[in-house]
Amino acid sequence: MLFIAALDFSINVSLPVFRESMNIDIVLVLWIIIVYHAARSGTGFIAGIYSDYFGIKRLAILGILLYTISVGLIGLQNNLFEVALLRIPQGIGAAILFTLGPALISKTFGSKLKGTALGFTLTAVAIGQMTGVLLGGWISDEFGWQYIFYMRIPFGVLAFVLTLIGLRTLDRTHLLPQKPPSFESSILLFSGIFSAILCIGCLITNGLLSTTTISSLIISVSMFFLLLRRDQHKTNKLVTFSLSQKNLEIISGGVSNLLVTTGTFIMWFLFPFYVSDIVRESGLMIGFLLALLSFSSLLGYIAGGLLSDQIGDKFTTLVGSIVSAAGLLLLLTTLNNGNLSLIQLATIINGLGFGVHQGSVYALNLRNSEGHSSGLFSATLSVSQTLGTVLSIALFSSLFVWISNTTTDILLAYKLSFVGASIITMLGGIIVISRGFNTTK
């Protein structure tokens, strides 16, 4: 499940190809990412909540079908609007898969081994990323961007068959016995989050006072208001919350994931342009560097999971954020000379740190989750990651465009962007230890 969803990282290595093929600027091409993650953000909580009521298998099948059909249709399109529109069902499918994968592991393994199990499971994300960026860089250069979508169809078909077979006897004893929340509440939650992300996107492309920015903000606020009013007196609320010790730990993990993703995702959308425009390397080299980033993350996932079981979730999460931030800072030394060896080293360090953080923060949030709440706790991390992705695009693309337009110094724009990303990444580790190092191991 995580593997086919992670194949979407082939988009990032092909951003320069999208820009040239559709004859649009860097800000507009980012809508391909923004709309996708808006749909992922809007669906994550819903997928996690309903999996706790109905089980994983049926939702997993739905997610695979949505994802696979959508990527097939996207490849047939030839303009930005059509591609962005079809990225919505693809994002919904991906959200289901990203949420249910860790939830399944959480239901299967006990507390003491949960970090290790999650660390190894998250390697599927890194393998999907490596496959996507290696094939994506070559395919987009040789055949065009459409084929980076077509290549995922066989993987989707295989995942569908394996899910039907592999989850046939999935244990259903951990399901919530109550009546599930209403479908109307789910629509309101999705619409509220989706519109909020679109508001951020409109802010980037159209400005603060544009009609689209204000309209999407009004729609988002209205949807959340209607949701709160609808669920106010219902016993089967879509999302229930209390300020318990466990929930506070989950919040800190979610915020940490949000911040670290915001800082490190710059490697997936601005870094390819840096390699293309400043270092003057090809799409194949961009694909190699992003594959190197993914491979380093794979090693980090495993290390983070193992270390979280041995020395604690919070300390490992902090270490991961520090290492990842160090990789971003190392990129600063390459701005004037474009030293490819240093760029590769910085990529490895950043990916390794991000993987360690991910492996440990998933363990932090899911270690003590009861079987019937694993879906919701996993959704917290899935949604925070997608929100961090969009915030990263909004923050650093705006910063980059503003600096480059104001000073006409593109190198300064990259420099301040990498510095800002490293600071935010470091804060992601600090937020976890703000309540102390005590955690279950």
Side-chain angles (χ1 to χ4, degrees):
M1 287 188 285
L2 294 176
F3 171 79
I4 65 167
L7 286 173
D8 198 70
F9 279 82
S10 59
I11 288 285
N12 301 78
V13 72
S14 303
L15 287 177
V17 178
F18 271 102
R19 180 180 59 180
E20 294 174 9
S21 175
M22 297 184 180
N23 195 26
I24 53 180
D25 61 30
I26 184 175
V27 175
L28 285 178
V29 80
L30 293 177
W31 272 103
I32 296 172
I33 298 177
I34 293 171
V35 172
Y36 169 78
H37 284 285
R40 272 192 61 185
S41 299
T43 308
F45 280 122
I46 299 170
I49 291 167
Y50 278 100
S51 71
D52 290 334
Y53 285 94
F54 298 113
I56 289 177
K57 180 177 179 179
R58 283 181 285 182
L59 281 174
I61 291 173
L62 174 62
I64 293 170
L65 287 176
L66 276 173
Y67 185 93
T68 306
I69 293 172
S70 297
V71 296
L73 292 175
I74 288 172
L76 299 174
Q77 313 310 313
N78 56 17
N79 66 66
L80 179 64
F81 176 77
E82 293 168 351
V83 170
L85 193 63
L86 284 167
R87 291 278 281 172
I88 296 174
Q90 185 200 350
I92 293 173
I96 295 173
L97 301 179
F98 271 118
T99 299
L100 297 190
L104 176 61
I105 298 303
S106 181
K107 290 176 183 287
T108 305
F109 288 86
S111 175
K112 292 184 178 180
L113 293 175
K114 195 164 287 187
T116 301
L118 286 166
F120 276 96
T121 300
L122 289 172
T123 60
V125 175
I127 295 172
Q129 290 173 347
M130 284 189 289
T131 304
V133 297
L134 285 175
L135 289 179
W138 174 71
I139 288 175
S140 62
D141 279 348
E142 295 295 324
F143 304 103
W145 63 265
Q146 292 90 344
Y147 286 87
I148 67 175
F149 290 97
Y150 291 147
M151 75 173 188
R152 306 179 215 181
I153 296 176
F155 293 111
V157 173
L158 179 62
F160 178 77
V161 173
L162 292 177
T163 300
L164 284 177
I165 298 173
L167 298 185
R168 183 180 299 170
T169 58
L170 185 65
D171 185 12
R172 295 174 59 85
T173 59
H174 293 302
L175 303 184
L176 290 170
Q178 304 98 316
K179 181 181 177 181
S182 68
F183 181 71
E184 292 82 359
S185 296
S186 301
I187 294 296
L188 291 172
L189 179 61
F190 175 87
S191 301
I193 297 177
F194 185 83
S195 299
I197 302 302
L198 289 188
C199 178
I200 297 174
C202 292
L203 181 63
I204 299 171
T205 57
N206 302 330
L208 178 62
L209 300 179
S210 69
T211 302
T212 51
T213 303
I214 296 173
S215 298
S216 54
L217 177 61
I218 292 173
I219 292 172
S220 178
V221 172
S222 300
M223 293 300 104
F224 285 123
F225 174 78
L226 291 174
L227 174 63
L228 293 174
R229 185 168 182 175
R230 179 181 178 82
D231 283 5
Q232 186 175 8
H233 302 295
K234 289 183 177 292
T235 55
N236 58 333
K237 294 180 173 64
L238 185 63
V239 179
T240 57
F241 179 78
S242 63
L243 290 175
S244 64
Q245 176 67 24
K246 180 185 294 186
N247 284 342
L248 290 174
E249 296 289 357
I250 292 169
I251 291 173
S252 69
V255 173
S256 176
N257 204 32
L258 172 70
L259 292 172
V260 170
T261 302
T262 300
T264 58
F265 193 75
I266 195 173
M267 295 292 292
W268 287 100
F269 82 93
L270 194 58
F271 179 65
F273 289 105
Y274 170 68
V275 176
S276 174
D277 297 341
I278 304 300
V279 190
R280 300 296 182 183
E281 291 289 345
S282 66
L284 190 60
M285 176 54 68
I286 295 172
F288 170 75
L289 288 171
L290 293 183
L292 189 63
L293 182 67
S294 300
F295 180 73
S296 303
S297 298
L298 183 151
L299 298 179
Y301 290 141
I302 297 173
L306 290 169
L307 289 172
S308 65
D309 284 341
Q310 299 300 318
I311 63 176
D313 305 326
K314 292 185 176 182
F315 182 74
T316 309
T317 300
L318 174 63
V319 170
S321 68
I322 293 173
V323 173
S324 188
L328 290 168
L329 290 175
L330 184 58
L331 280 175
L332 298 178
T333 64
T334 71
L335 289 172
N336 293 321
N337 55 31
N339 188 309
L340 195 57
S341 297
L342 280 179
I343 291 174
Q344 292 170 354
L345 179 60
T347 301
I348 292 171
I349 294 173
N350 178 263
L352 184 64
F354 176 76
V356 169
H357 176 273
Q358 289 290 284
S360 54
V361 81
Y362 267 87
L364 175 66
N365 269 35
L366 291 171
R367 187 177 299 280
N368 294 311
S369 65
E370 296 86 359
H372 57 71
S373 60
S374 297
L376 177 59
F377 289 0
S378 177
T380 302
L381 293 170
S382 177
V383 172
S384 65
Q385 190 171 61
T386 54
L387 289 175
T389 299
V390 177
L391 287 175
S392 181
I393 295 170
L395 177 61
F396 294 115
S397 63
S398 299
L399 178 65
F400 180 85
V401 170
W402 177 72
I403 295 173
S404 57
N405 288 341
T406 303
T407 66
T408 67
D409 188 344
I410 295 180
L411 284 178
L412 179 63
Y414 279 114
K415 178 179 181 180
L416 294 181
S417 297
F418 290 142
V419 169
S422 66
I423 293 173
I424 292 174
T425 301
M426 185 75 71
L427 289 175
I430 295 174
I431 193 70
V432 168
I433 64 168
S434 61
R435 294 177 52 80
F437 278 104
N438 55 305
T439 185
T440 304
K441 293 188 288 185

